[in-house]
Amino acid sequence: MKIPFLLLCLACGAMAAPSAKKQPDAAKPLPPLEKATISIDGHPESVAADDQGNIYFTSIGAKLTPTEEDKDGYLGVIPYGSTEPKKITDVDTLNAPKGLLYKDGFLYCTDISMVYKIDAKTGAIEGYVDLSPSRMKFLNDLAFINGRLMVSSTDTDQIFYVDTESKSYGELVTKQPIHKPNGLAWDPERKVIYVCEYATDEKGKPSGRLLSVNPISREVTELSRERGQYDGLAYRDGALYYSDWSQDKKPEAIRRLDLKTGRSAPVATGPIEGTADFILYGPMIVAPGMTEKKIHIMPIGGKK
């Protein structure tokens, strides 16, 4: 069901509210990963990691059909120290899962018009939200933004707040339009949401932008004059990392934008075909090569 507008405004306000006085525990150092290229059964779209070094991934399935309810998609894991992927979810559970997050023993993933909360060990569905009343077919990336789960809907040009416990959702309505939103990331210092667009113009030329959204004022700001078909997005230490399908199979397929200087540079250190929703893992990038059915683990390159 949809959240009434007033409640959504309160939710958005809470996103930018000051955090509690108690400081969070220091993050544990991640176990180091070795460079590797791992073949996947099906087309991987997104990856996530836990603090034990296990790499989780979504697979759209044997066919690259991201909007079809064909029941051949699944969630998988590459256990730490292994290069042998294993399936987590049962056959006939998912259709075409895309975005993926790991948090406190659970995996959150999007699947066409659904958002699932899944036990990372058992594959059991522990919660879900059905967004099909909003008529989308391409729920995409998701991110915890100041403790709240946000989801991009690429085909309907929308961003949603989602609650898997109450099975409710509501739209974050921005003052300026966002076209084909894909990757999402949260900047806890500036308290803005970063968004990248997977968009082309009427001639088929890449036209996607890198944007920031203020969740209180709902203002949208362009961060760069670059244009692309952007997919994955990550924020770290004053910089945005983003993948670009218009630079497929090149180091430019993943780039880094310095938010202070506005300069960008490629950071992938090897070819990737169909770079989708990657993660930064210590000094490494873990990136799905969606069209080549592989997951790449490689060092982060480029100058900072």
Side-chain angles (χ1 to χ4, degrees):
M1 63 180 178
K2 287 191 176 182
I3 297 175
F5 179 73
L6 177 59
L7 293 181
L8 181 58
C9 291
L10 293 174
C12 292
M15 281 195 290
S19 58
K21 291 183 179 180
K22 183 181 178 180
Q23 296 297 317
D25 295 333
K28 296 180 181 179
L30 294 170
L33 292 181
E34 297 293 330
K35 182 178 178 181
T37 298
I38 301 167
S39 295
I40 300 298
D41 179 16
H43 296 274
E45 205 280 343
S46 184
V47 291
D50 63 19
D51 58 6
Q52 303 300 310
N54 300 304
I55 302 298
Y56 302 94
F57 62 91
T58 58
S59 173
I60 289 175
K63 295 182 292 184
L64 193 52
T65 50
T67 62
E68 288 189 14
E69 297 182 4
D70 50 16
K71 292 294 184 182
D72 74 339
Y74 69 93
L75 301 188
V77 63
I78 303 168
Y80 178 69
S82 171
T83 56
E84 296 295 328
K86 300 178 179 180
K87 292 185 179 181
I88 296 174
T89 53
D90 292 332
V91 176
D92 296 335
T93 300
L94 301 174
N95 293 301
K98 299 174 190 66
L100 186 67
L101 283 177
Y102 174 88
K103 184 176 176 64
D104 299 330
F106 294 98
L107 294 165
Y108 297 81
C109 75
T110 59
D111 187 358
I112 300 181
S113 59
M114 303 288 290
V115 178
Y116 289 107
K117 177 183 179 181
I118 295 175
D119 188 296
K121 290 185 178 179
T122 68
I125 296 175
E126 299 292 339
Y128 67 90
V129 184
D130 182 1
L131 282 77
S132 60
S134 293
R135 300 179 183 279
M136 76 283 296
K137 282 285 191 179
F138 213 104
L139 289 182
N140 208 323
D141 196 21
L142 29 67
F144 278 104
I145 292 174
N146 211 18
R148 294 181 179 271
L149 185 61
M150 306 294 289
V151 177
S152 62
S153 178
T154 303
D155 58 332
T156 61
D157 299 339
Q158 294 172 290
I159 298 173
F160 291 99
Y161 159 76
V162 173
D163 188 329
T164 57
E165 302 304 320
S166 64
K167 299 184 180 180
S168 60
Y169 68 96
E171 183 182 359
L172 175 62
V173 180
T174 56
K175 288 186 176 179
Q176 295 81 27
I178 297 175
H179 307 290
K180 307 300 180 188
N182 196 331
L184 300 173
W186 172 245
D187 185 334
E189 291 83 25
R190 297 176 178 85
K191 291 184 169 54
V192 296
I193 303 167
Y194 295 123
V195 184
C196 65
E197 298 175 321
Y198 185 88
T200 56
D201 61 20
E202 62 278 1
K203 296 181 180 180
K205 183 178 179 181
S207 62
R209 301 170 296 168
L210 299 172
L211 306 169
S212 68
V213 178
N214 185 309
I216 301 301
S217 69
R218 295 177 287 118
E219 294 285 350
V220 178
T221 303
E222 289 191 25
L223 303 174
S224 170
R225 293 184 179 181
E226 291 183 17
R227 295 292 183 265
Q229 287 180 277
Y230 301 132
D231 194 320
L233 189 65
Y235 171 78
R236 179 193 282 181
D237 299 334
L240 274 182
Y241 295 75
Y242 52 98
S243 60
D244 184 359
W245 279 68
S246 69
Q247 300 294 330
D248 199 22
K249 305 178 186 178
K250 303 176 184 177
E252 288 82 354
I254 302 179
R255 297 181 67 85
R256 177 185 183 275
L257 174 69
D258 188 307
L259 293 169
K260 289 185 178 180
T261 66
R263 298 192 186 106
S264 68
V267 295
T269 51
I272 307 172
E273 297 182 28
T275 312
D277 187 19
F278 65 93
I279 58 170
L280 304 179
Y281 183 108
M284 310 293 280
I285 297 172
V286 183
M290 190 164 71
T291 57
E292 60 180 327
K293 300 182 179 181
K294 294 178 181 178
I295 289 176
H296 299 270
I297 302 172
M298 61 179 65
I300 300 173
K303 296 181 180 179
K304 294 186 177 181

